[in-house]
Amino acid sequence: AQSVAQPEDQVNVAEGNPLTVKCTYSVSGNPYLFWYVQYPNRGLQFLLKYITGDNLVKGSYGFEAEFNKSQTSFHLKKPSALVSDSALYFCAVRGSDRGSTLGRLYFGRGTQLTVWP
Amino acid sequence: NAGVMQNPRHLVRRRGQEARLRCSPMKGHSHVYWYRQLPEEGLKFMVYLQKENIIDESGMPKERFSAEFPKEGPSILRIQQVVRGDSAAYFCASSTGTQKGDTQYFGPGTRLTVL
């Protein structure tokens, strides 16, 4: 069965410091991994994805994520946080084997990131 | 290129009424997905459609809920005889297909409140 865990409901970090939002997954076959961000009363905005290739993926707004197959993790990172990064972040996964339901994304519960000035 | 559009953005219904939520995918996208977000929870998959076809409705409640994506016009998620537990944000996403790496792009959502 496909699932995603975001172990931290909240992450607090001071502006200018590095940030990490954690995500681990369970999936059949090779994983397709995604990060989205949601601002209050808005839809989800796509940040980045891992399909194959280089384990370090770069995305929008200076965010990057590192795929670690042995630890089944896909943590979101940014070297220097901004107050405007404060939002709700979702990790999502889709499996790739024949048994997986193609198309459907499985989401974590989300991590609220707060960046203090 | 306009993004995914949903309307209405906010919908208030009384128990027992019908709710109709509309979604227009991004230009060039023929795959539509509906998700529901309950308070303090992540998004839960409901249904996946292509033009005139339901591909996967395994996340949809068996009763009162239906979805369609006609040849012309937007995708519609219909909830009949709404109950308070239907209150949630409903998000639509679209993509070009299900090839590996396809990204789903989300609309702004419809926030349904059942009184």
Side-chain angles (χ1 to χ4, degrees), chain A:
Chain A
Q2 272 70 237
S3 66
V4 173
Q6 293 182 241
E8 300 159 318
D9 291 336
Q10 291 191 341
V11 170
N12 299 312
V13 65
E15 188 173 33
N17 283 0
L19 69 87
T20 299
V21 182
K22 295 179 180 178
C23 171
T24 58
Y25 65 89
S26 173
V27 71
S28 302
N30 293 320
Y32 302 142
L33 294 154
F34 302 81
W35 275 102
Y36 288 87
V37 58
Q38 185 180 31
Y39 296 97
N41 298 316
R42 302 279 292 277
L44 275 68
Q45 289 180 232
F46 168 70
L47 278 179
L48 51 80
K49 65 184 178 185
Y50 172 82
I51 304 302
T52 187
D54 195 353
N55 289 345
L56 185 64
V57 178
K58 294 189 182 297
S60 307
Y61 312 118
F63 284 93
E64 57 190 29
E66 187 168 10
F67 170 64
N68 188 318
K69 188 172 183 178
S70 63
Q71 297 185 4
T72 60
S73 67
F74 189 55
H75 300 331
L76 181 70
K77 300 181 180 184
K78 187 173 183 180
S80 179
L82 299 172
V83 172
S84 58
D85 292 332
S86 298
L88 188 58
Y89 289 80
F90 289 100
C91 182
V93 68
R94 187 165 76 217
S96 61
D97 71 338
R98 290 179 182 175
S100 298
T101 304
L102 293 179
R104 155 180 208 167
L105 287 175
Y106 293 82
F107 283 86
R109 291 171 61 91
T111 298
Q112 180 65 48
L113 172 68
T114 301
V115 181
W116 301 98

Side-chain angles (χ1 to χ4, degrees), chain B residues 85-101:
Chain B
D86 296 332
S87 295
Y90 292 82
F91 291 96
C92 168
S94 72
S95 75
T96 56
T98 57
Q99 298 302 312
K100 63 176 183 179

Side-chain angles (χ1 to χ4, degrees), chain B residues 48-114:
Chain B
Y48 161 38
L49 312 103
Q50 294 181 35
K51 284 284 187 180
E52 300 184 279
N53 286 305
I54 297 175
I55 306 302
D56 178 5
E57 57 182 346
S58 60
M60 197 104 94
K62 298 298 182 190
E63 298 178 351
R64 303 188 296 108
F65 285 72
S66 63
E68 62 177 3
F69 188 16
K71 186 177 181 180
E72 301 292 337
S75 175
I76 306 287
L77 178 68
R78 181 194 297 179
I79 312 172
Q80 296 178 301
Q81 299 175 340
V82 296
V83 301
R84 288 214 174 114
D86 296 332
S87 295
Y90 292 82
F91 291 96
C92 168
S94 72
S95 75
T96 56
T98 57
Q99 298 302 312
K100 63 176 183 179
D102 275 351
T103 299
Q104 294 180 22
Y105 294 92
F106 284 79
T110 294
R111 280 155 182 82
L112 173 65
T113 301
V114 180

Side-chain angles (χ1 to χ4, degrees), chain B residues 14-42:
Chain B
R14 297 191 181 279
R15 281 179 296 171
Q17 291 184 320
E18 178 179 285
R20 280 194 175 212
L21 288 63
R22 284 177 287 278
C23 169
S24 295
M26 286 177 68
K27 187 177 181 180
H29 287 189
S30 59
H31 296 248
V32 165
Y33 315 82
W34 286 93
Y35 294 84
R36 177 164 62 176
Q37 184 179 34
L38 295 169
E40 309 298 325
E41 292 190 18

